[in-house]
C-alpha cells in the first residue's frame, strides 16, 4: 500500500528538501501531495520582526519598502514554485501531485490530508522566529486540527522546527 504524505511549502522544494523527504519514507512506497499557498497570510510586522531576529536587515528593509504583490503575482509565483517542486520530485523518482492553495494554507492541508487519508503531513518553511516561538506556525496549527503526525522542517536544511 502506498502511503500519502501531504507537503505544505512556502517556496520551491530544493535538493536538501528532497533528501529529507526520501529519508522520511526510507524504502517504503509513498506519494506526495504538495501544496503551495498563493497567499501565505503573512503579517508585515511579523515578517519584519522575523527578519530582524535572524539579523536579515536587508530583507526587513525590503519588507517595509517593497509593497505587497498583487493577487495575480502571488498566484503566478505559487504556480511556478509548485511546478518546480513537482519537477524536482519527479526527477528524483518520487511520485507527486499538487495544487496551489487559497488564503488559508492550514485549512488546505487539513482538507488534503483528510481527502487522501494521509499518514503524515510535512510543513517546509524558512525559520519564522515569532511564529515558531509562540507556536502559531503552520505546523503547530495543522497538528492541532489533525490526528496525524506533522513534521516541521526548515527549507534547505536538516533542522526540525519546533512543532
Amino acid at each position: 500500500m502506498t502511503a500519502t504524505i501531504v507537503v505544505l511549502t512556502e517556496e520551491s522544494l530544493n535538493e536538501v528538501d528532497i533528501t529529507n523527504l526520501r529519508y522520511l519514507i526510507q524504502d517504503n512506497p509513498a506519494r506526495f501531495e504538495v501544496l503551495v499557498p498563493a497567499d501565505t497570510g503573512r503579517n508585515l510586522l511579523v515578517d519584519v520582526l522575523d527578519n530582524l531576529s535572524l539579523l536579515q536587515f536587508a530583507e526587513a528593509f525590503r519588507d517595509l519598502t517593497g509593497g505587497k504583490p498583487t493577487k495575480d503575482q502571488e498566484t503566478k509565483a505559487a504556480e511556478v514554485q509548485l511546478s518546480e517542486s513537482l519537477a524536482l520530485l519527479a526527477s528524483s523518482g518520487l511520485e507527486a501531485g499538487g495544487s496551489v492553495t487559497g488564503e488559508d494554507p492550514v485549512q488546505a492541508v487539513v482538507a488534503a490530508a483528510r481527502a487522501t487519508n494521509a499518514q503524515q503531513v510535512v510543513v517546509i518553511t524558512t525559520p519564522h522566529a515569532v511564529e515558531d516561538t509562540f507556536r502559531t506556525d503552520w505546523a503547530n496549527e495543522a497538528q492541532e486540527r489533525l490526528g496525524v503526525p506533522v513534521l516541521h522542517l526548515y527549507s534547505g536544511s536538516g533542522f526540525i522546527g519546533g512543532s
Side-chain angles (χ1 to χ4, degrees):
M1 182 172 146
T2 301
T4 299
I5 299 173
V6 175
V7 177
L8 174 63
T9 183
E10 63 186 356
E11 57 188 32
S12 298
L13 296 177
N14 57 54
E15 292 290 341
V16 175
D17 299 329
I18 299 301
T19 300
N20 290 336
L21 292 173
R22 276 194 173 288
Y23 182 77
L24 179 67
I25 63 170
Q26 299 291 314
D27 292 326
N28 299 312
R31 181 181 192 290
F32 295 95
E33 185 65 27
V34 180
L35 304 176
V36 179
D39 178 4
T40 61
R42 304 270 313 143
N43 178 299
L44 175 62
L45 177 60
V46 172
D47 283 346
V48 170
L49 290 174
D50 279 345
N51 287 326
L52 290 175
S53 71
L54 296 169
L55 303 178
Q56 297 171 335
F57 302 114
E59 288 87 344
F61 182 75
R62 272 196 299 275
D63 284 345
L64 285 173
T65 60
K68 183 161 172 53
T70 67
K71 190 76 165 165
D72 286 343
Q73 290 170 325
E74 288 177 331
T75 301
K76 186 66 116 178
E79 288 170 350
V80 168
Q81 292 166 339
L82 176 63
S83 176
E84 290 172 351
S85 297
L86 294 177
L88 186 57
L89 284 160
S91 71
S92 299
L94 298 171
E95 183 183 347
S99 61
V100 171
T101 72
E103 293 181 17
D104 188 349
V106 175
Q107 184 55 42
V109 165
V110 170
R114 290 184 177 147
T116 62
N117 292 319
Q119 285 72 26
Q120 185 164 15
V121 172
V122 178
V123 176
I124 301 175
T125 67
T126 56
H128 297 294
V130 174
E131 293 94 333
D132 293 348
T133 299
F134 294 104
R135 298 196 175 277
T136 58
D137 58 277
W138 291 342
N140 275 295
E141 287 185 38
Q143 184 72 53
E144 289 176 9
R145 296 187 200 180
L146 289 169
V148 299
V150 177
L151 178 63
H152 185 187
L153 298 174
Y154 290 139
S155 180
S157 77
F159 293 109
I160 298 174
S163 58

